[in-house]
Amino acid sequence: DQQVKQNSPSLSVQEGRISILNCDYTNSMFDYFLWYKKYPAEGPTFLISISSIKDKNEDGRFTVFLNKSAKHLSLHIVPSQPGDSAVYFCAARDDKIIFGKGTRLHILP
Amino acid sequence: DAGVIQSPRHEVTEMGQEVTLRCKPISGHDYLFWYRQTMMRGLELLIYFNNNVPIDDSGMPEDRFSAKMPNASFSTLKIQPSEPRDSAVYFCASSLGGNSPLHFGNGTRLTVT
């Protein structure tokens, strides 16, 4: 039973537009959420995080939104750039960190 | 800082053979994690250690899998005997704990024929 779900396996976005990646979770005990980015043949790298006591965290072009009542978080990338093409993993923590299956983002020229 | 170092990068072996994956965490990190990535299940947590002690191994698929951390700078994940369904990319990660993020190695791609 997946506790962290990324329902879109892939997403294509035009360069310069906004990319929105979504994530749902089922465990209300999660207190910290993270997004990781992964290029082929490399390990995932940390991108941005948010505590459960907040609803928004911004870092440059990346913003994460958390809706606790809906058990939903999203990652916004604006403007999208070619180097953003990668697999994005949503992750959540109670006593350990659980990852979703990932969403492959393609930035189109 | 060299980051988390995993070896080998690729491993091809025959069914029934023993496989040992190795990991060197970032110096000073108290937590070490082993994850497995497959198309079907994404990134699954297999086991994690705190201060060299296994804390949660509930993700280890079966008794064929074992992990050790004999000291703060080295961990192994062993599969004996290996099976074709073990084919995956295995990642090691380390962290300082708390809200500090995980730092991943580049993974070991295991193929069992």
Side-chain angles (χ1 to χ4, degrees):
Chain A
D1 183 30
Q2 273 200 291
Q3 297 187 65
V4 178
K5 300 177 185 179
Q6 294 178 258
N7 293 320
S8 297
S10 66
L11 175 68
S12 294
V13 175
Q14 206 76 37
E15 182 180 353
R17 306 294 292 267
I18 184 170
S19 295
I20 300 176
L21 297 110
N22 293 304
C23 178
D24 298 296
Y25 62 94
T26 58
N27 185 349
S28 57
M29 298 303 292
F30 287 142
D31 63 354
Y32 198 65
F33 302 88
L34 310 95
W35 285 94
Y36 282 78
K37 176 179 179 178
K38 184 183 181 304
Y39 292 121
E42 295 182 9
T45 55
F46 170 72
L47 195 55
I48 193 169
S49 62
I50 188 167
S51 166
S52 60
I53 62 173
K54 296 190 173 184
D55 56 17
K56 178 182 174 181
N57 187 26
E58 189 172 352
D59 183 2
R61 296 185 299 114
F62 303 92
T63 303
V64 55
F65 295 92
L66 176 62
N67 182 334
K68 284 187 66 177
S69 61
K71 293 191 175 69
H72 177 83
L73 66 155
S74 61
L75 174 68
H76 292 212
I77 307 172
V78 56
S80 301
Q81 298 175 353
D84 296 331
S85 293
V87 177
Y88 289 79
F89 290 96
C90 170
R93 186 193 72 184
D94 47 13
D95 61 334
K96 55 193 175 189
I97 297 179
I98 308 297
F99 284 81
K101 288 188 177 181
T103 296
R104 184 176 300 277
L105 175 64
H106 300 271
I107 303 302
L108 306 171
Chain B
D1 183 357
V4 175
I5 300 172
Q6 290 187 247
S7 64
R9 287 299 310 271
H10 301 274
E11 177 79 43
V12 180
T13 190
E14 291 184 348
M15 183 174 66
Q17 297 298 307
E18 176 181 299
V19 174
T20 300
L21 311 181
R22 297 173 174 80
C23 176
K24 176 177 166 54
I26 293 173
S27 177
H29 282 192
D30 296 326
Y31 287 80
L32 184 138
F33 305 78
W34 283 101
Y35 284 85
R36 175 171 72 175
Q37 184 186 15
T38 60
M39 290 293 290
M40 290 295 296
R41 302 176 69 89
L43 267 172
E44 299 175 88
L45 177 64
L46 301 177
I47 185 171
Y48 77 95
F49 296 81
N50 180 22
N51 291 321
N52 313 338
V53 176
I55 302 301
D56 187 336
D57 65 354
S58 59
M60 296 285 261
E62 44 197 278
D63 292 346
R64 298 185 295 107
F65 286 68
S66 62
K68 294 182 179 179
M69 192 164 186
N71 57 64
S73 59
F74 184 65
S75 177
T76 59
L77 178 67
K78 185 176 293 187
I79 309 172
Q80 165 65 14
S82 57
E83 296 182 3
R85 61 191 166 128
D86 301 331
S87 297
V89 181
Y90 290 80
F91 288 102
C92 175
S94 69
S95 82
L96 291 167
N99 285 346
S100 62
L102 272 60
H103 296 260
F104 283 82
N106 284 331
T108 295
R109 180 174 294 278
L110 173 65
T111 303
V112 183
T113 60

